[in-house]
Amino acid sequence: DTEVTQTPKHLVMGMTNKKSLKCEQHMGHRAMYWYKQKAKKPPELMFVYSYEKLSINESVPSRFSPECPNSSLLNLHLHALQPEDSALYLCASRRGGDTDTQYFGPGTRLTVL
Amino acid sequence: GESVGLHLPTLSVQEGDNSIINCAYSNSASDYFIWYKQESGKGPQFIIDIRSNMDKRQGQRVTVLLNKTVKHLSLQIAATQPGDSAVYFCAENIGSGGYQKVTFGTGTKLQVIP
């Protein structure tokens, strides 16, 4: 099983809403990632969790709040987003070795009204 | 090549021909490189990787070449098929352990003409 799942597939929210994106993997991977991808652009790293601890935060605004409740789950809590935050949010996981393959989920398409 | 505005560099190839997609990377400390394929509406999919101590690696119908002197990567796809149509990203890996970061290049759109 080399699958990373993400829910929901699509999300529309207002600027005052609070919502969460969910990512799950059951490959025993110990590193998990959140990326943001705008149309026709490459994915941009937001956060890295290693062994359930936040190891990299790429200066992401505090309206994005990651959480890693256990080794299989990664959440991204959203609050007071702006329309420019509309994008595809991708989750990825990696076993943990430096040259291990990073597996991506299908993403959540987020629209902020 | 680099993207300008909202336009991805595009490579159009006849079905059955070979495709070559190029990528320049920026960090001489990068030690591991990956090519990803991204189809519309999907997440990036791993194609092939190469470590910095190699200059060539072959997979099924794909070959990656690494030239560290000029910081250049290329992806060669043999006998290109319509299913190969997608955006291709090279990515470079820096760091190790929990501080490992993968940075993506700008991407190239491959269009296969039937």
Side-chain angles (χ1 to χ4, degrees):
Chain A
D1 180 12
T2 57
E3 191 178 24
V4 176
T5 59
Q6 289 187 245
T7 54
K9 199 174 173 70
H10 300 276
L11 178 63
V12 179
M13 62 186 289
M15 289 189 283
T16 58
N17 292 158
K18 282 186 183 180
K19 296 285 184 184
S20 296
L21 309 185
K22 182 178 170 181
C23 172
E24 198 163 358
Q25 57 86 14
H26 295 287
M27 296 178 277
H29 289 180
R30 304 318 300 263
M32 295 185 77
Y33 305 76
W34 280 116
Y35 288 84
K36 173 183 178 179
Q37 187 177 25
K38 302 283 274 184
K40 300 188 189 299
K41 296 290 187 183
E44 293 179 354
L45 183 65
M46 299 174 72
F47 302 104
V48 180
Y49 272 84
S50 177
Y51 291 87
E52 300 160 52
K53 292 196 184 329
L54 183 65
S55 57
I56 297 179
N57 176 340
E58 291 287 84
S59 303
V60 179
S62 60
R63 57 186 185 269
F64 295 92
S65 174
E67 179 198 18
C68 189
N70 59 56
S71 59
S72 300
L73 276 177
L74 185 66
N75 298 321
L76 186 63
H77 302 299
L78 315 172
H79 174 53
L81 294 194
Q82 304 295 312
E84 59 265 29
D85 296 322
S86 298
L88 180 69
Y89 287 84
L90 292 160
C91 174
S93 72
R94 190 173 56 84
R95 189 172 58 194
D98 291 349
T99 56
D100 287 339
T101 301
Q102 199 172 74
Y103 292 94
F104 282 84
T108 292
R109 175 73 60 191
L110 174 68
T111 303
V112 182
L113 301 176
Chain B
E2 293 186 1
S3 61
V4 178
L6 294 177
H7 300 286
L8 277 171
T10 300
L11 175 66
S12 295
V13 173
Q14 204 73 35
E15 182 179 356
D17 286 353
N18 297 335
S19 303
I20 299 176
I21 301 172
N22 295 304
C23 173
Y25 65 92
S26 55
N27 195 324
S28 54
S30 298
D31 54 5
Y32 173 59
F33 304 88
I34 314 106
W35 280 100
Y36 288 96
K37 171 186 180 184
Q38 188 173 25
E39 296 174 278
S40 181
K42 296 185 179 180
Q45 177 189 359
F46 171 88
I47 303 173
I48 191 167
D49 58 3
I50 187 167
R51 299 185 189 190
S52 58
N53 61 353
M54 304 170 70
D55 53 21
K56 180 179 179 179
R57 189 158 190 229
Q58 286 184 285
Q60 188 178 18
R61 275 201 314 121
V62 293
T63 301
V64 55
L65 299 178
L66 173 63
N67 184 330
K68 293 183 288 293
T69 304
V70 295
K71 291 191 280 192
H72 182 269
L73 268 174
S74 68
L75 176 70
Q76 301 176 4
I77 305 174
T80 313
Q81 302 168 0
D84 295 326
S85 293
V87 177
Y88 289 80
F89 292 101
C90 67
E92 55 183 309
N93 177 83
I94 306 168
S96 62
Y99 302 97
Q100 185 193 74
K101 291 171 56 170
V102 172
T103 302
F104 285 75
T106 51
T108 297
K109 184 176 181 179
L110 177 65
Q111 288 181 333
V112 181
I113 305 163

